[in-house]
Amino acid sequence: KGGMLADCIRYGRIILVALPFLMLQYAFGSLSVTAEKPKLGLIVTIISGVLNMTGDVLFMGVFHWGIAGAAMATAMGQIIGGTIPLVYFLRKNSSSLRLRRPKWDGGALRRACTNGVSELMSSISMSIVGMLYNAQLMRYAGENGVAAYGTIMYVDFIFLAIFIGYATGVAPVISYHYGAGNKKELNNLLKRSVVLIAAASLSMLLLSEVMAAPLAAIFVGYDAGLLDMTVHAYSIYAVSFLFCGFSIFSSAFFTALGDGLTSALIAFLRTVFESASVIILPLLLGLNGIWGAIIVAECMSVTVSVIFLAAKRRRYQYF
């Protein structure tokens, strides 16, 4: 445990240097869509990811810098990912946006921060829940449990990226039609989104159950015991795909309507549900309770989302 703590501190100190650039990359991802240059965000993300992977091979495989090399590779990708769009928007470009000398607008800043509370809560929740998972796994399964959870998160991000990408991409369209008063189109967007997410959720569940073993083998195939634990854990964890897409979309939907408070409440309650589940369920089900905590949390989060959608339908007139 002492060695793991030292590695975590070393990794954290290096990666924090790139944090401002990571924030820029996220911010410019949305601005690229607004500037009618969605491919720019995609290209930057690909470049950042390729640099990260290349750096991992070079710094860890060739130079043998260990955990510090992994951190440096990630930082390198984030720095480039934040710098490219910054330079693009600072210079004259073919988009509809260009960075200028800023002027203070407290009202706009306040509205932006208020409407972005849900994303803040989502980021905080991921950190809190991750720490709780790791603490519980160290208690119930030791370092192998933490390694299995890390593998599940890597694979989980691949599937969740589909939901997050759709929610982020459709949000500006929802905002436009809400602002233009196109109630019929807003209703159409909501219905189609629910159908698409339902179909994607079922497909992801089936695909993840089939691909659990080969995907886990990529990360932990070197240890048969750890591989068995990871495959078993993921077969339980993957059931959450049936619900998480609806929660992600609901939060983004209310953000697109300018209702940051409701969006933040959905994200916050999801954190509460998952935190409570990962603490309580292991007392009843042991290690399986940790893997199944996400299912209970997402199911309850969807219930809350449906309640909010029903309660706000007259105000926003999307039904």
Side-chain angles (χ1 to χ4, degrees), residues 10 15 45 58 60 73 81 93 99 101 121 125 131 149 185 199 224 226 231 248 261 303 308:
R10 187 178 301 111
I15 201 68
T45 300
L58 184 63
M60 298 179 69
N93 58 74
L99 290 174
R101 185 183 299 275
M121 290 306 305
S125 68
M131 288 187 286
Y149 177 66
E185 188 58 32
L226 179 56
V231 172
I248 292 171
L261 178 60
T303 302
F308 277 126

Side-chain angles (χ1 to χ4, degrees), residues 302-319:
V302 169
T303 302
V304 170
S305 298
V306 171
I307 292 173
F308 277 126
L309 285 168
K312 302 269 186 176
R313 68 185 186 281
R314 290 187 177 179
R315 177 179 175 182
Y316 296 111
Q317 299 182 340
Y318 42 74
F319 282 154

Side-chain angles (χ1 to χ4, degrees), residues 26-274:
Y26 273 119
F28 281 119
S30 298
L31 286 174
S32 297
V33 176
T34 306
E36 300 179 351
K37 292 289 183 179
K39 292 182 179 179
L40 175 63
L42 174 62
I43 292 171
V44 169
T45 300
I46 293 174
I47 292 174
S48 177
V50 170
L51 284 173
N52 190 344
M53 291 185 287
T54 304
D56 281 333
V57 173
L58 184 63
F59 299 153
M60 298 179 69
V62 178
F63 297 153
H64 303 290
W65 290 348
I67 195 69
M72 291 174 65
T74 303
M76 180 176 67
Q78 292 174 354
I79 290 171
I80 297 300
T83 302
I84 291 176
L86 176 63
V87 173
Y88 177 83
F89 284 110
L90 278 173
R91 302 177 62 186
K92 186 177 181 180
N93 58 74
S94 59
S95 77
S96 55
L97 293 180
R98 182 180 175 186
L99 290 174
R100 300 287 188 179
R101 185 183 299 275
K103 293 182 180 180
W104 178 256
D105 189 339
L109 181 62
R110 183 179 64 255
R111 290 192 297 272
C113 291
T114 301
N115 202 36
V117 167
S118 61
E119 285 70 25
L120 171 68
M121 290 306 305
S122 295
S123 296
I124 292 175
S125 68
M126 288 176 62
S127 298
I128 294 175
V129 170
M131 288 187 286
L132 284 173
Y133 266 99
N134 286 328
Q136 288 289 75
L137 286 167
M138 284 297 293
R139 178 181 177 185
Y140 283 88
E143 294 183 3
N144 273 358
V146 175
Y149 177 66
T151 300
I152 291 172
M153 288 299 97
Y154 283 127
V155 179
D156 185 53
F157 287 148
I158 296 174
F159 287 98
L160 289 185
I162 297 174
F163 291 131
I164 296 172
Y166 177 78
T168 303
V170 79
V173 183
I174 292 172
S175 296
Y176 172 81
H177 287 292
Y178 173 64
N182 298 332
K183 301 172 186 176
K184 184 177 180 180
E185 188 58 32
L186 191 63
N187 175 267
N188 185 47
L189 279 168
L190 180 58
K191 288 182 178 178
R192 287 179 179 272
S193 294
V194 170
V195 173
L196 284 171
I197 291 171
S201 299
L202 182 59
S203 299
M204 286 185 194
L205 172 61
L206 297 175
L207 182 61
S208 60
E209 293 290 355
V210 171
M211 296 296 294
L215 287 174
I218 295 174
F219 298 95
V220 294
Y222 57 87
D223 187 318
L226 179 56
L227 177 61
D228 288 341
M229 176 188 288
T230 304
V231 172
H232 172 71
Y234 194 69
S235 65
I236 298 174
Y237 192 97
V239 178
S240 66
F241 290 142
L242 286 175
F243 310 103
C244 64
F246 295 101
S247 299
I248 292 171
F249 173 76
S250 297
S251 181
F253 182 74
F254 283 110
T255 297
L257 296 177
D259 192 346
L261 178 60
T262 299
S263 181
L265 278 172
I266 293 174
F268 173 73
L269 289 173
R270 180 183 180 278
T271 305
V272 173
F273 296 147
E274 192 165 2

